[in-house]
Amino acid sequence: MSLVTIILKMSEGLGKTCAIFFLTLLFSVPLGMIVSFLRMSKNKVISGITKFVISVLRGTPLMLQLLAVTYGPHYLFGADISRNKLIPVVIAFSINYAAYFCEIYRGGIESMSQGQYEAAQVLGYTKFQTFMKIILPQVVKRILPSMTNEVITLVKDTSIAFTVSYQEMFTIGKQIANSQTSFTPFLVAGVFYYILNGIVGFAMGRFEKALDYYK
């Protein structure tokens, strides 16, 4: 099989790789914010349970979580959600990354000085207005480097979907490599991931530069 043919065949799975990436970000970014509020709750029961769930998600492999979400409902309840494997893949990825984003958000929010909240209160801002107009923009600026690192990791982690036979780019490359007894598909996959991460890094860099006015 020629190099061009390998590239064309693997390109067929590129769209599915991008689907995992964008859908995971779509759900995990806001979910991470919600979880961070639960983690910082003054109610010790809520914060304690949230902390435990986060520790489980961060302390176990994403591959294991993916297998649990894909096949767990069938073994436990007889429900089959693995027919469209994109659904369990996105669910597992979103929950896992929300746990990491949660801690990034929490670190950014807790780094803000109490004086800003007090000044906003004096100016008549509600707690919601204070957070949305004063705190959140600064938090985004502070956490962006850490978020960028996680987003780049997500691009590479999409390859884990091969464990449930979801036909994304790496899965197709692995199948070609096995059938052709060749390492070339893995090299092609590496180039694809490098290019995708280059695009992500460039986009996040531009976004970070756009927030330079907070200096």
Side-chain angles (χ1 to χ4, degrees), residues 8-106:
L8 290 175
K9 283 186 172 295
M10 293 183 64
S11 296
E12 295 174 5
L14 183 60
K16 293 184 177 181
T17 294
C18 291
I20 297 173
F21 174 77
F22 286 113
L23 288 174
T24 298
L25 284 184
L26 178 65
F27 293 114
S28 63
V29 170
L31 180 59
M33 178 65 74
I34 294 171
V35 176
S36 70
F37 289 140
L38 296 176
R39 173 69 176 82
M40 294 183 291
S41 172
K42 293 181 180 180
N43 186 310
K44 292 185 178 180
V45 175
I46 294 176
S47 63
I49 293 174
T50 305
K51 184 178 180 180
F52 173 73
V53 173
I54 292 172
S55 70
V56 171
L57 292 172
R58 297 177 69 190
T60 56
L62 174 56
M63 185 182 297
L64 177 60
Q65 296 168 27
L66 178 57
L67 291 171
V69 173
T70 304
Y71 302 114
H74 172 71
Y75 290 111
L76 295 175
F77 311 110
D80 187 6
I81 65 170
S82 63
R83 292 181 181 179
N84 182 358
K85 288 201 170 72
L86 179 60
I87 295 175
V89 167
V90 171
I91 291 174
F93 273 72
S94 298
I95 293 174
N96 179 272
Y97 271 83
Y100 286 93
F101 289 149
C102 160
E103 292 300 282
I104 294 174
Y105 284 134
R106 185 173 67 88

Side-chain angles (χ1 to χ4, degrees), residues 144-166:
L144 203 53
S146 298
M147 292 289 283
T148 299
N149 184 60
E150 290 298 325
V151 173
I152 288 175
T153 300
L154 173 59
V155 173
K156 296 177 288 185
D157 276 354
T158 56
S159 62
I160 296 177
F162 88 90
T163 57
V164 293
S165 302
Y166 183 67

Side-chain angles (χ1 to χ4, degrees), residues 170-191:
F170 185 79
T171 304
I172 294 175
K174 188 172 181 292
Q175 292 172 348
I176 297 173
N178 291 337
S179 64
Q180 300 294 316
T181 317
S182 171
F183 193 75
T184 302
F186 293 123
L187 295 177
V188 173
V191 172

